[in-house]
Amino acid sequence: MYTSVLTDRRSFIKRMALLSAMTAAATMFPGILFAEEQERGLPKNGNLDWKKAPCRFCGVGCGVLVGIENGKAVAVKGDPKSEVNKGLCCVKGYHSVIAMYGKDRLTKPLIKKNGKYVETSMKEALDLIASKMKETIKDYGKDAVSIYGSGQWTIPDGYVASKLFKGCIGTNNVEANARLCMASAVTGFMTSFGMDEPMGCYEDIDYADVFVLWGNNMAEMHPVLFSRMLDQRSKRNIKIIDLATRTTRTSKASDRSIIFEPQTDLAIANAICYEIIKNGWVNKSFVEKHCNFSKGLTNIGYGLEDKFKFKDKPEKITFEEYKKFLEDYTPEKVSKLSGVSVRDIKYMASYYGDPNKKVMSLWCMGVNQHTRGTWMNNLVYNIHLLTGKISEPGNSPFSLTGQPSACGTVREVGTLTHKLPKGVVMNKKHREIAAKIWDVPVENISPKPTYHTVEMFRALDRGDIKFMWIQVTNPMVTMPKLKRYRDAAKKEGRFIVVSDIYPTPTTDIADVILPSAMWIEREGMYGNSERRTQYFEQMVEPPGESMSDTWQLIEVAKRMGYEKQFYYKEETHIEEIYNEYIQFHKGKKHGMAPLEVLKEESGAIWPYVDGKSTQWRFNSKYDPATTKEGFDFYGKPDGRAVIWQRPYEPAAEVPDSDYPYWLNTGRVIEHWHTGSMTRRIPVLHKAMPYAYVELNPEDAKRMRIKTGDKVKLTTRRGEIIMPASVNERGIPAPMQVFVPFFDENMLINDITLDSFCPISKEPDYKKCAVKVEKV
Amino acid sequence: MKRLGIISLFTLLFAVFIIVWNYSYQSGLEEAYIPINNNKPTSYFLENEGMEYSKFDLDYANMPFDENHQRTLEEYYKNRAYYGAPPIIPHSVKEDLNIGRNSCLQCHQSGGFSKRFKAYAPIVPHPEMTNCKQCHVPQKSNSLFSETNFKKGKFPEVGVNSALNGSPPTIPHPIQMRKNCLSCHATPSTPKKIRVTHPERIDCMQCHVQSNNNINISELEVFIRKNYTNEK
């Protein structure tokens, strides 16, 4: 078949003539052109069945098309029709289907008997779980059983979990790992706007002129959105500013990289507000019409002690008082504290203040995993509210998420201890709505929140909780100060059920392991960062006896005597659950798209009103729920958003002479979360085989450490030895180190600190003090 | 009096100038402040721009042909986890800290011979996408975390995609992000099996149609012509 390049002119012309003739002939007889024999040699791949789904991994929620052949998923491509990614994925997404086919996939339930795991049937395992739960409730009360889920729960998973535990059993012991990643975003939204989730959407990227990334390594963590920004930069004059504590791929790709001392982002945000007010860049009419000023308590603690309690006391203040408060945050003062030059602070403020520039702020874990995470969220909103740059295309403070359904399941279904699908357990009306839809007596739903995640594991340690069911998450890699909680789980008299797809450090502590069906092995929905709900059908059969988390919960609920509430039929249960669930959100403020729409389209953004997604909330131009012209922050009773007076306060643990370095943890592009899926994808594992500790080149030189050398990290919680990385993926600032947390062989969380934001209860994984030694 | 008249005239002119300038400046600002573009933003994947990339067609046509340093199709496929997957980076990468951009593009935008690898650099069909390492990752290790059951499917064969002997073969693969045909089919790094004999003919899709990758054939019904004369 192979022909070399043109040998001579003559043969070339001859071939051309022949070719044209053939083409012409083919056009005249179209039947021939599409003849079957033409496709004969194509691998079946050409006839792959492509089905749409949201990606399994991060919170961006890319639309993917999965190629199915002979009942197996064999290929992935980006869905060009998806509004989210328009056909582009990242390396994890492209290889995502391989995650289903690891050889060590769990396919049978395992029960621990005399220290050994014994294979059993699904029926027996579910019977055991139900009887153990009943027994625990009888002996120790309702609040001794708990469920710990995740932002990877599909919407139906989270919904039935909440219904079973909150509605039927009557305990608020429902939490999810999203507490560890976006609780501060939630409390930020609630305190500033009274309603959760971003007002804008990804399309803002196509309109904004300036992007400020607050501690957000988007090039690695939200690469598809970052590429969308880069694409805009190639077409228009836009600026990307990376404000971070570590030099990353994002810093290198941005127009300006600004490095600040950990925790001083609080002061920087206030300094930007100071500059905005000082230079008269405040959008006065917007602030007068749409904003209130408030302050809360200060010196609020770090939640390090068991049974830590905190309740903020908001208090209204005037603009003048707020202005006075900001005088402590002149760029000159903040520059000294943060290490950011006065020029850089003014530079950022000038973009926020320029009425002709549309600004998008983006953040994720840097702001949320912060002992003042709620405050940090408030402060970013302050900047946007003072300048009126909000709820408009391109003017958008945008809180990103890291899990496919942190928004859809944890935030919207409300699988947190204080939440209900609509509202909170403390509110009588909200309890009544839930009781009615759930078909349970209203007294069943307890009005008191119980434990947030860290406290839930502390309760397990203390013995207040005896039974815990863990689904779709890997807390024995991700909990801060991990050793305490691992030991807790192993204590006598605790019963742990783990539903997962592979053996992990969390299945190691289980008494019963249930094999789960993942992603497209079952039917479900995810909700991404931009309020988009996406549906996926079951495309392949789950291996062995694997069962969806939804159905596991339903089976147990039935065994516990809640057949009436869990009436769902196996063939149609996802549809039935979704239709039941969306009753909670009826109305213009949170209406969800009907299932048929989700099946047809690449998802829909709520509030879905009169057959239309609402891309920008609170703006009467786009949002039908507004009741007045212009802006209406209807989450608050008076329709006004709140500008919060939030000071700078130091981190819970600050480097000192014994532990002189900052320890920061995070992710890498190749691995997603604890790597239990991505490490089983050969391409990704080979690209990033193990964790490492990143050092600043100057520090490394001083300690004579080079890449690959063994380094001992010691904190007040323990020590760990890992290989060094110098001048590789990222460069921490001097006297800081960075460690990715995906590697279960090097559990960095053994030595992190379990301090958390007192308002959101979200731990700070980004800051603790560590000693660094060459081994 | 005359002098005063001239002065006041100029003052008046100046004042008018200031007013006009100010007005136009303000309206300019206003315009700048309402830049909400109601047109949907363009997709960031070049649709229908395939031909633009064919602009080097003649260069390709005249390029010498180095048979000693050519990849085989097997090597070409080896770097992909499945048919259609983004290829891995089969060589070490000096700098891990950047997203790719120029450090990748300096070789992979226009190709050329690399002495170090003794090979021609493959040319990327989508150089406008600069976050290269978003999809392409180097391999640092040969070991696996755990064994996998995932099997690479079959890759398309060559020489069997033509309806007639000599008729233009169909395109057996998706062209999303691969619209620049020549970057894979006409460069010195092109495996000889898929090398095009006529890179100078620019509009590839004039003769080569896509086989059914983008259309779900099973959803299409057989076309039956309505016989209007028989209708009531």
Side-chain angles (χ1 to χ4, degrees), chain A residues 55 57-58 76 89-98 220-223 667-673 678 681 684, chain B residues 134-135 137:
Chain A
C55 178
F57 297 120
C58 82
V76 179
C89 294
C90 77
V91 67
K92 293 183 295 297
Y94 281 123
H95 296 98
S96 53
V97 292
I98 304 177
E220 286 195 75
M221 306 322 156
H222 301 91
R667 271 189 45 215
V668 290
I669 187 170
E670 291 87 351
H671 290 303
W672 193 74
H673 281 201
T678 47
I681 298 172
L684 299 178
Chain B
Q134 171 180 335
C135 303
V137 290

Side-chain angles (χ1 to χ4, degrees), chain A residues 1-6 12 15-16 19-20 22-23 32-35 37-43 45-47 49-50 69 73-80 83-92 94-95 97-98 101-104 203 206-207 219 223-224 226-228 230-233 235 247-250 252-254 283 355-356 358 387 392-393 395 615 621-622 669-670 675 679-680 682-689 728-731 744-745, chain B residues 28-30 32-45 47 60-61 63-65 67 70 80-86 88 94-99 101 128-131 133-151 153-172 174 176-177 192-193 195-201 206-218:
Chain A
M1 227 357 240
Y2 158 63
T3 35
S4 164
V5 274
L6 320 170
F12 167 62
R15 194 148 5 98
M16 285 255 286
L19 217 64
S20 330
M22 298 318 286
T23 318
I32 297 174
L33 195 65
F34 292 103
E37 55 263 51
Q38 213 172 7
E39 282 142 23
R40 188 183 48 204
L42 298 185
N45 240 331
N47 292 320
D49 213 357
W50 293 99
E69 184 184 58
V74 295
V76 179
K77 58 184 181 183
D79 183 355
E83 289 288 322
V84 174
N85 55 321
K86 300 179 182 176
L88 180 66
C89 294
C90 77
V91 67
K92 293 183 295 297
Y94 281 123
H95 296 98
V97 292
I98 304 177
Y101 299 111
K103 254 197 183 133
D104 53 347
E203 210 178 295
D206 304 335
Y207 304 113
V224 170
F226 193 67
S227 282
R228 194 160 168 174
L230 293 179
D231 175 61
Q232 289 298 318
R233 190 166 65 181
K235 292 176 184 155
T247 304
T248 61
R249 284 183 181 175
T250 309
K252 289 276 169 182
S254 61
N283 184 338
N356 295 309
K358 294 181 169 292
T387 52
E392 283 180 330
N395 276 330
Q615 286 183 288
K621 239 190 257 171
Y622 308 98
I669 187 170
E670 291 87 351
R679 296 187 91 190
R680 286 171 172 90
V683 175
L684 299 178
H685 175 70
K686 286 178 181 176
M688 183 53 76
E728 291 194 311
R729 182 64 60 87
I731 303 178
E744 64 182 66
N745 298 322
Chain B
L29 268 192
E30 217 164 277
Y33 195 55
I34 335 170
I36 294 172
N37 181 1
N38 280 326
N39 302 332
K40 278 270 172 185
T42 52
S43 153
Y44 48 99
F45 305 105
E47 302 298 329
Y60 286 135
M63 219 171 257
F65 178 51
E67 224 171 320
Q70 214 169 19
R80 287 153 172 84
Y82 55 84
Y83 166 52
I88 52 130
K94 231 192 221 160
E95 202 188 336
D96 200 6
L97 184 54
N98 61 26
I99 55 174
R101 281 209 288 196
E128 73 285 358
M129 303 177 105
T130 53
N131 192 0
K133 292 174 195 165
Q134 171 180 335
C135 303
H136 305 284
V137 290
Q139 306 284 281
K140 290 181 189 160
S141 143
N142 281 323
S143 65
L144 290 179
F145 180 73
S146 82
E147 294 288 312
T148 181
N149 287 324
F150 185 82
K151 286 195 186 70
K154 261 207 248 158
F155 286 77
E157 287 168 51
V158 176
V160 283
N161 302 330
S162 305
L164 304 169
N165 189 7
S167 75
T170 56
I171 303 172
Q176 195 177 320
M177 283 190 264
K192 54 180 170 181
K193 274 190 183 173
R195 195 180 170 86
V196 65
T197 55
H198 44 273
E200 68 286 351
R201 297 176 90 191
Q206 177 186 327
C207 303
H208 303 279
V209 294
Q210 261 208 289
S211 43
N212 55 18
N213 276 290
N214 281 352
I215 313 158
N216 193 344
I217 292 280
S218 60

Side-chain angles (χ1 to χ4, degrees), chain A residues 757-774:
Chain A
C757 168
I759 303 174
S760 70
K761 323 290 192 274
E762 174 168 343
D764 189 334
Y765 291 89
K766 306 287 187 190
K767 296 167 215 92
C768 70
V770 65
K771 185 160 70 181
V772 180
E773 294 161 296
K774 189 179 176 184

Side-chain angles (χ1 to χ4, degrees), chain A residues 735-750:
Chain A
M735 299 311 283
Q736 296 184 26
V737 297
F738 171 85
V739 179
F741 70 86
F742 68 83
D743 193 341
E744 64 182 66
N745 298 322
M746 290 180 244
L747 291 170
I748 187 64
N749 277 320
D750 267 344

